[in-house]
């Protein structure tokens, strides 16, 4: 079984530029606005092999509906935003989309038709280059609220940029993604197949899966509140992508930038937390 690290996290927001401005105030470099062929638009925060994808519905979007075995990325995030903002999809790296699809099917996970697209990306110098992606969608049968897929980069040399990966706050990489769920044990079979990792650590605080790029932490609301100082209410008992924990940041500088920007922060056992209420539905944590 091939292990898959995190590639990115889709963060659905109502106002793309306002969300980007909040991240810039925290010391992140955010890429210019880009548009998908079907009309969703994004701005990115690139780290070391992982990125946050701020995503909104663009003006005049022509979003196809899901049908049969065809998964609609645009429709999923459009419908997600009808309920709330925040982390909407977990995305793992792909080295072989066909192999991912076969592995998911072998594990008994739902599979969907292959999906690929290309778009233009604006470079730091103002030029543009073509980027392309092959997406392999699956689903957690116990989680109707979040999306899951692997992402193969067709032109990685055009996508990743050293300038975009340089951040004033010193953040360099992903440490972990935290998913809050009522019963972590109910989801471990799915996540083991999705990540390709058989080994996991189970404690009274939840389950941790170490991937080749970042940890995945599944924990109940009580443990999350104890570790991060924030209460999460799970609508219809559905899991929630609640926090991203970074590594390599200058915590004192980040805290000062938050004060300057008027952003709420909390000190927790896991680090400095900029809570979801201040950041369009996704908590950001700096150890």
């Amino acid at each position: 079984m091939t292990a898959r690290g995190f590639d990115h996290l889709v963060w659905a927001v109502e106002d793309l530029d306002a969300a980007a401005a909040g991240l810039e105030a925290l010391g992140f470099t955010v890429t210019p606005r880009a548009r998908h062929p079907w009309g969703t638009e994004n701005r990115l925060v690139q780290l070391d092999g992982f990125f946050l994808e701020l995503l909104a519905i663009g003006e005049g979007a022509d979003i196809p509906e899901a049908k049969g075995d065809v998964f609609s990325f645009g429709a999923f995030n459009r419908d997600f935003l009808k309920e709330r903002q925040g982390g909407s999809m977990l995305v793992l790296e792909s080295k072989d989309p066909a192999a991912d699809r076969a592995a998911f099917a072998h594990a008994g996970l739902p599979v969907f038709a292959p999906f690929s697209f290309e778009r233009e990306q604006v470079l730091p110098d103002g030029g543009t280059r073509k980027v392309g992606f092959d997406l392999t969608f699956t689903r957690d049968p116990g989680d109707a609220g979040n999306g899951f897929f692997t992402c193969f980069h067709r032109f990685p040399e055009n996508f990743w940029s050293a300038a975009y990966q340089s951040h004033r706050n010193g953040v360099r990489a992903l440490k972990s993604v935290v998913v809050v769920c009522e019963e972590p044990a109910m989801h471990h079979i799915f996540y083991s197949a999705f990540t390709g990792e058989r080994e996991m650590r189970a404690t009274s605080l939840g389950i941790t899966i170490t991937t080749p790029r970042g940890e995945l932490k599944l924990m109940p609301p009580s443990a999350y509140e104890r570790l991060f100082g924030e209460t999460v209410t799970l609508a219809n008992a559905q899991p929630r992508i609640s926090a991203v924990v970074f590594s390599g940041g200058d915590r004192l500088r980040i805290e000062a930038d938050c004060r300057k920007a008027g952003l709420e922060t909390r000190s927790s056992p896991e680090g400095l937390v900029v809570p979801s209420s201040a950041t369009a539905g996704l908590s950001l944590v700096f150890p």
Side-chain angles (χ1 to χ4, degrees):
M1 190 157 56
T2 301
R4 306 175 189 91
F6 280 102
D7 183 81
H8 67 280
L9 186 152
V10 181
W11 183 353
V13 299
E14 295 171 355
D15 187 325
L16 188 60
D17 289 336
L23 290 176
E24 289 171 337
L26 285 169
F28 287 106
T29 299
V30 186
T31 66
R33 180 184 292 257
R35 187 175 176 95
H36 295 130
W38 51 88
T40 50
E41 297 181 344
N42 68 19
R43 297 185 67 180
L44 314 179
V45 174
Q46 291 190 5
L47 301 176
D48 183 11
F50 169 83
F51 64 97
L52 289 173
E53 179 180 12
L54 291 172
L55 185 93
I57 308 302
E59 184 176 352
D62 184 16
I63 295 175
E65 300 297 331
K67 184 178 180 180
D69 70 342
V70 176
F71 187 96
S72 174
F73 174 94
F76 179 89
N77 284 284
R78 176 202 64 201
D79 294 345
F80 183 94
L81 280 167
K82 291 177 182 178
E83 302 296 327
R84 64 182 182 89
Q85 301 184 93
S88 62
M89 309 185 84
L90 292 180
V91 189
L92 302 183
E93 62 186 342
S94 175
K95 297 180 175 63
D96 184 335
D100 293 341
R101 193 168 189 271
F104 295 157
H106 180 73
L109 300 184
V111 293
F112 298 86
F115 181 76
S116 304
F117 72 96
E118 295 180 350
R119 65 170 176 81
E120 293 297 314
Q121 175 157 297
V122 178
L123 303 175
D125 64 6
T128 61
R129 286 184 183 174
K130 180 189 294 186
V131 293
F133 311 92
D134 297 322
L135 311 184
T136 304
F137 295 101
T138 187
R139 182 170 57 84
D140 178 355
D143 181 356
N146 299 297
F148 304 90
F149 62 95
T150 65
C151 180
F152 177 82
H153 293 248
R154 293 185 179 178
F155 313 108
E157 69 281 3
N158 291 347
F159 179 81
W160 298 105
S161 164
Y164 286 149
Q165 291 172 298
S166 177
H167 304 285
R168 187 182 76 246
N169 58 23
V171 169
R172 297 299 178 197
L174 171 73
K175 182 177 181 182
S176 63
V177 174
V178 184
V179 177
V180 175
C181 48
E182 287 191 344
E183 296 289 346
M186 292 180 60
H187 302 275
H188 81 276
I189 293 176
F190 165 78
Y191 277 105
S192 178
F194 183 47
T195 63
E197 292 283 3
R198 291 189 177 91
E199 298 295 326
M200 56 187 68
R201 301 193 309 275
T203 70
S204 60
L205 297 175
I207 293 173
T208 298
I209 300 174
T210 301
T211 81
R213 184 179 299 106
E215 292 183 332
L216 171 69
K217 293 182 176 291
L218 307 172
M219 61 181 64
S222 58
Y224 184 80
E225 183 171 4
R226 174 180 168 187
L227 293 176
F228 295 93
E230 185 174 24
T231 300
V232 171
T233 300
L234 301 179
N236 300 315
Q238 291 297 299
R240 177 174 292 202
I241 302 167
S242 295
V244 175
V245 184
F246 301 102
S247 66
D250 183 340
R251 177 171 169 173
L252 292 178
R253 180 167 188 171
I254 294 165
E255 193 166 14
D257 283 344
C258 286
R259 286 196 299 269
K260 183 178 180 180
L263 291 173
E264 177 188 357
T265 62
R266 299 173 184 170
S267 182
S268 78
E270 294 296 296
L272 180 72
V273 178
V274 185
S276 59
S277 58
T279 54
L282 182 70
S283 294
L284 307 178
V285 186
F286 306 90

